Amino acid sequence: MLLLFLSLLAGACLSSLVQEKNPEYWRAQAQQTLHKALELQKLNTNVAKNVILFVGDGMGVTTVSAARILKGQLHHMPGEEFQLEMEKFPFLALSKTYNTNAQVPDSAGTATAFLCGVKSKKGTLGVSAAASRSQCNTTKGNEITSILRWAKDAGKSVGIVTTTRVNHATPSAAYAHSVDRTWYSDNEMPSEALGQGCKDIAHQLMHNIPDIEVVLGGGRKYMFPKGTPDVEYGNKEARGTRLDGQRLTDIWREKKPPNKNAYYVWNRRQLLKLDWNHVDFLLGLFEPKDMMYELNRNRWTDPSLTEMVEVAIKILRKNPEGFFLLVEGGRIDHGHHAGKAKQALHEVVEMDRAIARAGALTSSEDTLTVVTADHSHVFTLGGHAPRGNSIFGLATSLSDRDKKPFTSLLYGNGPGYKVVAGERENVLAVDYADKNYRAQAAVPLSKETHGSEDVPVFSKGPMAHLLHGVFEQNYIPHAMAYASCIGSNTDHCQGQRWPGDGATAGSSSEQAERTQQRSNSAIACSPLAPLLSAVD
């Protein structure tokens, strides 16, 4: 049956390539795109009951393009004509990512911008630019709150899902105020900062906003006393780090109301067997530090990002006031820093699956979904490769200078720089399709660097049209807050509710069905769109 399906799929895509020779194919495609554009004149001005923010850490435009081709090729298509779920969103903008003191930003300063609505310095979390990195005594008075806090104050449920540790830069900006992003536990803090009363980020997760309904990701070791053996690994590096002797998972439980069901889980089996109807609070810590790359993930012990997102939404959506959910595909960034393009791009594909699942569990009628990145990387895709060439394959021709081949994916700098016998390494001498292959780089560095160009912002749902054009990154949470009537800018919200609670825009299920129909029609091999969805 599978072979039959694959043969049908290959035949349909081959048919599509044949059709491309006919000018009418492209004219019809353009008319379909035009029709969709005209539909956007009917703006969705509902109040957003729910807001979901997906952040692909390090997911610049080139990364999106390469991931599109990869996902298409995973569906046995050439790839270039494919559409990621995020690319089906009707509105697209560009966000300027610089920090107040850095042309090339980091994830802490950018997360503070797109979560707290204020640009700040590199390396600092949840504080304004008046604070200085690593100087504890500049924290007080410069704390700023995030959209997660605004949503919680408005009575909504809130959640954080990440593939990094839950006290890493991006998720931390949602709840912490720290002048140093590396203060994961008190073990990583200088004595001066401890003496001045600053608290580590893991501590702040448990105390600053103690009623976050869902927190899922890595970071177990920072929650337990120094030397505490890990539940899963026997190596010393996985042991607890805390100097204060606290077991933060116990403190997390103690802070929950006695009439509420709070669960702490550390593996996939525990997570998936939960009856989410009877879960009020959920803390899941699946690795001592960051979660495994998707290509390396242990399917028995570690949930996928898609699975975590599904559980989170099913718990959060029980609140009649709605929810705010932050989702980070955090290891895209780590793959790029290591020069491992294959790892990075498969992380994007997994996040795109999570975006699709979130779309199936919600409706664009009452849920604003935003997909963006914190920053880019010095990552390129080129080299005159032919249509359908493996995204991890070689460019068409040899270099006209050193007569050696090169891959289509390259980095401007990073650990992939290698000289053999005084010359550039010949990639034919290595397995450049291996998941841990480090793509060649122009400048030698132990870690590849971020890029400084603008990053995409995809959006759909109520007030998604507010995210358009080119804007400062700190605009994003203000637009989301306006759409969902939370925070300080709510004058326009008097008496307004979301569809299903007095609105007349049609049922959520009807809108979801219409949205899915439009999305499916955009796939290049459109006759097999339902089958493609099933494979995904």
Side-chain angles (χ1 to χ4, degrees), residues 394-410:
L394 299 176
T396 304
S397 58
L398 304 180
S399 164
D400 61 0
R401 301 295 297 274
D402 64 12
K403 309 304 179 184
K404 289 186 174 68
F406 58 98
T407 55
S408 297
L409 299 175
L410 298 166

Side-chain angles (χ1 to χ4, degrees), residues 44 46 85 88 317 356-367 369 460-462 499 505-521:
N44 181 346
N46 297 331
E85 290 298 321
K88 298 173 187 177
R317 71 182 182 183
R357 189 64 189 134
L361 292 169
T362 59
S363 166
S364 294
E365 193 73 4
D366 65 2
T367 301
T369 304
K460 68 174 181 177
S507 73
S508 297
S509 59
E510 290 172 351
Q511 176 66 17
E513 184 178 354
R514 288 195 298 270
T515 301
Q516 188 63 49
Q517 288 172 350
R518 288 196 298 269
S519 297
N520 287 342
S521 66

Side-chain angles (χ1 to χ4, degrees), residues 119-415:
K119 285 223 173 191
S120 63
K121 290 177 180 173
K122 186 175 182 178
T124 64
L125 293 160
V127 292
S128 71
S132 298
R133 184 170 187 175
S134 303
Q135 295 183 25
C136 170
N137 60 5
T138 66
T139 306
K140 190 172 182 179
N142 294 319
E143 301 95 336
I144 51 179
T145 58
S146 75
I147 187 171
L148 184 141
R149 165 71 80 171
W150 309 340
K152 173 55 67 175
D153 289 345
K156 295 181 182 294
S157 293
V158 296
I160 296 170
V161 175
T162 179
T163 53
T164 66
R165 62 204 87 171
V166 297
N167 49 351
H168 208 255
T170 299
S172 297
Y175 59 82
H177 312 289
S178 178
V179 290
D180 198 308
R181 58 174 288 178
T182 66
W183 290 354
Y184 301 120
S185 73
D186 54 356
N187 184 65
E188 290 77 40
M189 295 178 66
S191 56
E192 180 184 37
L194 290 171
Q196 292 174 347
C198 280
K199 299 297 183 182
D200 63 90
I201 298 169
H203 178 278
Q204 292 189 56
L205 172 60
M206 302 303 168
H207 292 84
N208 286 8
I209 311 178
D211 52 353
I212 298 175
E213 280 80 4
V214 178
V215 178
L216 300 175
R220 274 198 307 260
K221 63 185 291 184
Y222 307 107
M223 310 297 169
F224 296 96
K226 192 173 181 67
T228 302
D230 185 67
V231 292
E232 187 176 3
Y233 301 102
N235 55 307
K236 291 183 179 179
E237 292 76 16
R239 293 179 180 176
T241 63
R242 301 199 64 78
L243 301 177
D244 59 13
Q246 294 186 349
R247 295 176 64 90
L248 294 185
T249 53
D250 292 342
I251 291 175
W252 175 81
R253 288 180 187 273
E254 292 165 3
K255 285 184 168 292
K256 302 300 174 287
N259 62 333
K260 298 294 184 179
N261 296 315
Y263 294 88
Y264 165 60
V265 298
W266 63 267
N267 62 56
R268 179 177 182 267
R269 181 182 59 82
Q270 293 173 340
L271 177 71
L272 298 185
K273 78 173 186 178
L274 288 171
D275 181 356
W276 52 267
N277 285 304
H278 296 96
V279 177
D280 299 303
F281 296 95
L282 176 61
L283 173 63
L285 302 173
F286 304 104
E287 285 290 329
K289 293 180 69 176
D290 302 315
M291 296 187 69
M292 297 292 185
Y293 287 120
E294 177 62 21
L295 287 179
N296 299 350
R297 180 169 62 87
N298 183 325
R299 267 60 176 174
W300 293 100
T301 58
D302 294 348
S304 67
L305 181 61
T306 301
E307 290 169 336
M308 292 192 291
V309 166
E310 177 165 355
V311 170
I313 291 175
K314 286 181 175 179
I315 293 172
L316 297 175
R317 71 182 182 183
K318 294 185 295 181
N319 187 342
E321 296 299 315
F323 65 83
F324 171 80
L325 176 61
L326 168 65
V327 181
E328 182 197 20
R331 304 225 62 195
I332 301 167
D333 178 73
H334 296 171
H336 279 323
H337 279 310
K340 299 178 180 180
K342 192 165 192 173
Q343 295 281 16
L345 295 183
H346 275 274
E347 293 296 306
V348 180
V349 170
E350 174 56 27
M351 190 179 83
D352 202 58
R353 293 190 187 105
I355 293 169
R357 189 64 189 134
L361 292 169
T362 59
S363 166
S364 294
E365 193 73 4
D366 65 2
T367 301
L368 171 63
T369 304
V370 179
V371 181
T372 188
D374 46 0
H375 54 73
S376 184
H377 278 266
V378 291
F379 179 58
T380 66
L381 168 59
H384 307 293
R387 175 79 177 274
N389 192 57
S390 168
I391 190 61
F392 305 115
L394 299 176
T396 304
S397 58
L398 304 180
S399 164
D400 61 0
R401 301 295 297 274
D402 64 12
K403 309 304 179 184
K404 289 186 174 68
F406 58 98
T407 55
S408 297
L409 299 175
L410 298 166
Y411 289 96
N413 57 49

